[in-house]
Amino acid sequence: MLRTPSLLLAGVVLLPILFGPACATGRPTKNQDLTPLAQLPEEFATAWRAWRDETPEWREWRPRVKADAKLANFFVDNLVRLMIKSYEDSGLRPRGELAGPFERASRELVYLQDYSAPVMIELIPMGDTIVSFLAGDILMQIDDGRWCLPLAKKLQGGKAEDRRRAAEWLGKLPGAGDEEEAVWELLEKTLADPDWTVRVQGATTIGLRATARGRVDLARAPLSRALGDSNPDVVKAACKAIGKGGDLNCVPALINLLERGERAQEFHLIRAAQETLEQLTKQKGHLGSAAWRNWWGIWWKANRS
């Protein structure tokens, strides 16, 4: 079983650069001290020195670390710290230069994905924006759909911003294969989330994942429901997702939205519906809802199979 991190970020600002003579052992706590390399088990110290100093021996150590759960978890713990600290210290190297600590740590975290991905998933909902971004970026580099469902489970419970971030990164990850249906089910539930920012991101991500799979029909029903949301930003997000997906079968739902806006004289709804209808149909002229219904009836008769 993979261990989940405790307060991984809690001690980051207290930690010295890990290219020094010390490393952390186990999951960090707020006041955790680093253990000098000389006091670590010989195997741990030797492997870390080989990586730190980029010695020829690291080529042999690298697969050994990946095959050993204790070594791999030890590396992940310290590589995460190093990645965060290097980023905060602006330790990124310009394109074309040799990889620095940030780039090297990131590369190894991707290589050790069986151990690092669960850690990244736990870090994404954390309050620190930088840590969340870095964790999500590692998941993107890993680019493996089997981590989508564990991340999708973060859409339930927790703080609203935690759920919103999980939804955001799901929009950037690949399909989950046999688990995509379970991911989709959790994602659709975001459209009923009590927080409007989660609903906005949910609508956006539903559109992104459906379009990426070439299955915009999957997004039709949930995005059509989102057009009825009481929050205008959620409605706009749904309209934008529909427009990008290009699903003409969403036209009736958009006409309903336009009619609703006309009746209530809510011009933000009228504008969102009109712009999306024009984007989908390539028709211009700001037609009213009655005219759009007439157009749809003609188009449907001519194009239905």
Side-chain angles (χ1 to χ4, degrees):
M1 290 290 292
L2 297 175
R3 296 175 295 167
T4 55
S6 53
L7 301 178
L8 186 56
L9 181 62
V12 166
V13 294
L14 305 176
L15 298 177
I17 297 177
L18 294 177
F19 272 75
C23 280
T25 53
R27 299 299 180 189
T29 58
K30 185 171 182 180
N31 299 312
Q32 180 184 18
D33 294 326
L34 296 181
T35 303
L37 283 178
Q39 296 179 18
L40 288 173
E42 183 178 355
E43 187 179 34
F44 283 42
T46 303
W48 184 259
R49 287 193 190 97
W51 181 83
R52 180 194 65 185
D53 300 336
E54 298 183 80
T55 66
E57 287 74 23
W58 174 241
R59 181 175 297 181
E60 298 178 6
W61 270 107
R62 198 173 190 236
R64 288 177 60 185
V65 169
K66 188 174 185 178
D68 186 313
K70 289 184 179 179
L71 266 175
N73 280 314
F74 165 78
F75 263 78
V76 167
D77 289 343
N78 287 283
L79 289 169
V80 169
R81 289 179 170 87
L82 179 57
M83 177 183 67
I84 295 169
K85 181 165 179 57
S86 297
Y87 185 89
E88 291 177 336
D89 291 346
S90 299
L92 284 71
R93 295 293 179 90
R95 187 180 299 274
E97 289 192 10
L98 293 175
F102 176 84
E103 292 81 8
R104 291 184 60 221
S106 299
R107 184 171 62 217
E108 298 304 334
L109 286 170
V110 172
Y111 176 70
L112 296 171
Q113 67 160 295
D114 286 347
Y115 305 94
S116 64
V119 177
M120 300 304 111
I121 289 168
E122 294 296 326
L123 290 180
I124 282 176
M126 289 189 68
D128 190 286
T129 304
I130 291 176
V131 174
S132 179
F133 168 76
L134 293 176
D137 187 62
I138 292 296
L139 278 182
M140 279 185 64
Q141 291 181 60
I142 289 173
D143 195 35
D144 189 330
R146 64 193 168 113
W147 303 114
C148 290
L149 184 55
L151 179 58
K153 291 177 180 179
K154 298 297 180 183
L155 297 171
Q156 304 292 305
K159 297 179 181 178
E161 178 60 11
D162 299 348
R163 302 193 299 276
R164 189 203 66 77
R165 286 178 178 173
E168 178 184 6
W169 285 105
L170 275 171
K172 302 176 182 180
L173 296 182
D178 293 340
E179 295 180 329
E180 184 67 22
E181 186 175 345
V183 171
W184 196 260
E185 183 178 341
L186 291 168
L187 201 50
E188 283 198 36
K189 290 180 180 179
T190 63
L191 298 180
D193 194 280
D195 189 275
W196 68 271
T197 64
V198 180
R199 301 199 302 276
V200 165
Q201 189 59 61
T204 300
T205 296
I206 283 172
L208 288 171
R209 289 189 73 84
T211 301
R213 294 174 63 189
R215 290 292 310 276
V216 294
D217 58 300
L218 294 175
R220 188 180 305 149
L223 290 180
S224 294
R225 289 197 304 272
L227 293 177
D229 198 283
S230 60
N231 186 286
D233 289 312
V234 178
V235 174
K236 290 176 184 176
C239 283
K240 188 174 181 179
I242 289 170
K244 287 185 175 181
D247 183 8
L248 272 168
N249 286 295
C250 289
V251 166
L254 289 165
I255 295 173
N256 291 339
L257 173 64
L258 177 58
E259 186 176 51
R260 175 178 136 207
E262 291 171 341
R263 288 178 176 174
Q265 293 189 332
E266 295 185 6
F267 297 106
H268 61 280
L269 297 182
I270 295 173
R271 182 176 180 181
Q274 286 281 14
E275 289 180 350
T276 310
L277 282 165
E278 292 179 7
Q279 182 180 1
L280 287 178
T281 66
K282 312 304 179 188
Q283 301 296 309
K284 302 295 181 182
H286 298 288
L287 304 175
S289 59
W292 273 115
R293 289 194 191 283
N294 183 58
W295 179 92
W296 175 250
I298 295 171
W299 184 93
W300 179 253
K301 288 180 181 179
N303 292 276
R304 63 182 177 180
S305 54

